[in-house]
């Protein structure tokens, strides 16, 4: 008989109370600075590390909560074939889909919703990287086409938050065909005269980068987001050169003209609302816009030197014969 476990421990628990259940996931570790963050502080900071400012990856539903005003609504997305190729590697593709659906609570890697951003109507599509790395499948293509049609129907701008590893290999060429489909969807919005805004989150790579993600009227990225087509190691092996520091990061792409702006998550909602106002709201009648005081271009005669006339070659003719010579 162990008297410590059978007698002493129950007496101590009776005096001081039984062990309380401590919830899990109270603390989160920042993947950048490796500091521990209390879960309430993380929620309050929109999942941005308070120590180093690193933007942690978030799911699609949380992204919509951070972007849209309260009361936004999801739309039901068209159904696509689950396993058109009956693909199987180490596991069946259907089993991977079911696991991803149970893990995220989503049917596909993207969620489409409509609502308002600071009172301004918008249609927003958000990728979830936790769903098979946010890969683009036939279902994702159907979702983005449906989002474009809804934006045209509601006369509202379309905003897409991308976070994807590219096309979904389990669907082969079918997933690659979603690249032109999403490009056509973006054209639908632009031809209707509506703003198409893309927000590139960490990471945005592969076929998503090579299609709609780089076609926005305004292209935004979160700080330090990884953006590119192929991986840096593959590029280095191909070109046989050392890549610059920070290559394929949002700040590097902003410096080289690929992006329009890099916006922190806490400022994203206000920035999107301001962009919608600039691109959608018309000036009040009677309000004249003053022309910028720019220097007038010089007159055409002094703007560029006149081309000099090329010398004309004169053909020389032989002297006529003198008939007086009698030759």
């Amino acid at each position: 008989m162990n008297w410590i476990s059978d007698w002493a421990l129950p007496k101590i628990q009776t005096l001081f109370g039984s062990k309380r259940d401590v919830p899990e996931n109270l603390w989160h570790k920042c993947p950048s600075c490796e500091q521990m963050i209390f879960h309430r502080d993380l929620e309050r900071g929109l999942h941005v590390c308070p120590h180093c400012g690193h933007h942690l990856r978030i799911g699609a539903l949380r992204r919509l909560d951070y972007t849209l005003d309260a009361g936004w609504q999801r739309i039901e997305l068209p159904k696509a074939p689950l396993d058109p190729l009956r693909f199987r590697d180490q596991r069946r593709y259907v089993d991977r889909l079911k696991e991803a659906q149970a893990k995220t609570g989503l049917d596909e890697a993207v969620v489409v919703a409509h609502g308002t951003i600071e009172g301004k109507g918008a249609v927003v599509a958000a990728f979830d990287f936790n769903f098979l790395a946010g890969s683009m499948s036939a279902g994702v293509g159907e979702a983005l086409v449906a989002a474009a049609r809804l934006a045209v129907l509601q006369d509202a701008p379309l905003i897409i938050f991308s976070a994807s590893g590219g096309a979904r290999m389990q669907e082969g060429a079918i997933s690659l065909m979603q690249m032109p489909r999403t490009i056509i969807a973006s054209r639908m919005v632009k031809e209707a005269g509506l703003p198409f805004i893309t927000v590139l989150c960490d990471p945005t790579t592969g076929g998503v980068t090579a299609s709609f993600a780089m076609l926005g009227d305004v292209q935004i990225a979160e700080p330090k987001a990884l953006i590119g087509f192929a991986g840096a190691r593959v590029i280095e092996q191909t070109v046989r050169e050392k890549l610059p520091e920070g290559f394929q990061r949002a700040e590097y792409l902003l410096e080289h003209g690929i992006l329009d702006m890099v916006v922190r998550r806490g400022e994203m909602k206000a920035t999107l609302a301001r962009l919608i106002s600039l691109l959608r709201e018309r000036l009040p009648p009677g309000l004249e816009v003053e022309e910028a005081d720019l220097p007038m271009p010089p007159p055409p005669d002094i703007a560029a030197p006149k081309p000099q006339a090329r010398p004309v070659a004169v053909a020389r003719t032989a002297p006529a014969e003198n008939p007086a010579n009698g030759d």
Side-chain angles (χ1 to χ4, degrees), residues 59-61 63-64 72 74-79 97 100-101 104-113 123-148 158-164 168 182 208 212:
L61 297 178
R63 179 87 62 184
L64 294 173
W72 58 269
R74 291 175 58 179
I75 68 169
E76 185 177 354
L77 301 177
K79 301 297 182 182
L97 279 174
Q101 291 171 350
T104 61
L106 306 177
D107 295 330
E108 254 300 345
V110 66
V111 178
V112 179
V123 176
V124 181
F127 278 71
D128 196 318
F129 192 77
N130 294 321
F131 193 104
L132 296 179
S135 51
M136 187 164 60
S137 63
V140 171
E142 292 284 353
L144 296 183
V145 171
L158 175 60
I159 304 171
I160 300 181
F161 289 85
S162 61
S164 173
R168 190 173 300 173
T182 55
V208 170
F212 67 89

Side-chain angles (χ1 to χ4, degrees), residues 22-40:
V22 179
E24 297 181 358
N25 300 326
L26 288 180
W27 294 86
H28 298 267
K29 190 177 188 180
C30 174
S32 179
C33 65
E34 298 185 351
Q35 294 288 330
M36 300 302 295
I37 313 170
F38 191 54
H39 73 105
R40 291 182 181 175

Side-chain angles (χ1 to χ4, degrees), residues 26-290:
L26 288 180
W27 294 86
H28 298 267
K29 190 177 188 180
C30 174
S32 179
C33 65
E34 298 185 351
Q35 294 288 330
M36 300 302 295
I37 313 170
F38 191 54
H39 73 105
R40 291 182 181 175
D41 296 335
L42 195 62
E43 288 284 349
R44 193 179 301 112
L46 305 182
H47 280 71
V48 177
C49 177
H51 305 288
C52 66
H54 177 73
H55 285 55
L56 282 74
R57 296 174 181 174
I58 58 177
L61 297 178
R62 181 172 278 127
R63 179 87 62 184
L64 294 173
D65 278 334
Y66 291 165
T67 305
L68 293 168
D69 300 333
W72 58 269
Q73 296 180 351
R74 291 175 58 179
I75 68 169
E76 185 177 354
L77 301 177
K79 301 297 182 182
L82 291 180
D83 189 4
L85 303 181
R86 297 184 180 180
F87 188 88
R88 181 187 182 97
D89 47 12
Q90 296 178 350
R91 299 172 55 195
R92 293 192 308 163
Y93 175 44
V94 175
D95 296 337
R96 293 183 183 275
L97 279 174
K98 292 180 179 178
E99 181 181 355
Q101 291 171 350
K103 177 183 178 181
T104 61
L106 306 177
D107 295 330
E108 254 300 345
V110 66
V111 178
V112 179
H114 63 97
T116 58
I117 301 177
E118 294 188 358
K120 301 170 180 62
V123 176
V124 181
F127 278 71
D128 196 318
F129 192 77
N130 294 321
F131 193 104
L132 296 179
S135 51
M136 187 164 60
S137 63
V140 171
E142 292 284 353
L144 296 183
V145 171
R149 290 174 176 168
L150 180 63
V152 174
L153 182 64
Q154 294 188 353
D155 192 34
L158 175 60
I159 304 171
I160 300 181
F161 289 85
S162 61
S164 173
R168 190 173 300 173
M169 68 173 189
Q170 289 90 346
E171 296 190 11
I174 297 176
S175 63
L176 297 178
M177 288 303 298
Q178 307 314 309
M179 296 172 62
R181 291 195 70 203
T182 55
I183 293 174
I184 293 172
S186 68
R187 293 300 306 171
M188 291 169 51
V189 179
K190 294 182 178 182
E191 289 176 358
L194 302 170
F196 175 54
I197 303 173
T198 56
V199 183
L200 286 68
C201 307
D202 183 65
T204 299
T205 58
V208 170
T209 306
S211 55
F212 67 89
M214 288 295 181
L215 297 178
D217 298 320
V218 181
Q219 295 182 178
I220 310 173
E222 289 188 333
K224 300 295 179 65
L226 175 64
I227 303 168
F229 180 69
R233 183 174 57 185
V234 175
I235 298 175
E236 286 185 344
Q237 293 175 354
T238 303
V239 301
R240 301 180 184 275
E241 292 184 5
K242 183 67 177 177
L243 297 176
E245 185 178 357
F247 182 75
Q248 291 185 330
R249 292 293 174 178
E251 290 74 12
Y252 183 90
L253 299 180
L254 178 64
E255 292 177 359
H256 290 76
I258 305 299
L259 299 174
D260 295 307
M261 59 183 72
V262 176
V263 181
R264 295 178 59 86
R265 189 171 295 164
E267 303 170 358
M268 185 67 69
K269 184 174 182 179
T271 301
L272 292 174
R274 185 167 63 253
L275 286 174
I276 294 174
S277 297
L278 292 173
L279 297 174
R280 292 284 288 161
E281 294 182 2
R282 297 182 178 180
L283 294 174
L287 181 62
E288 297 180 356
V289 180
E290 296 182 358

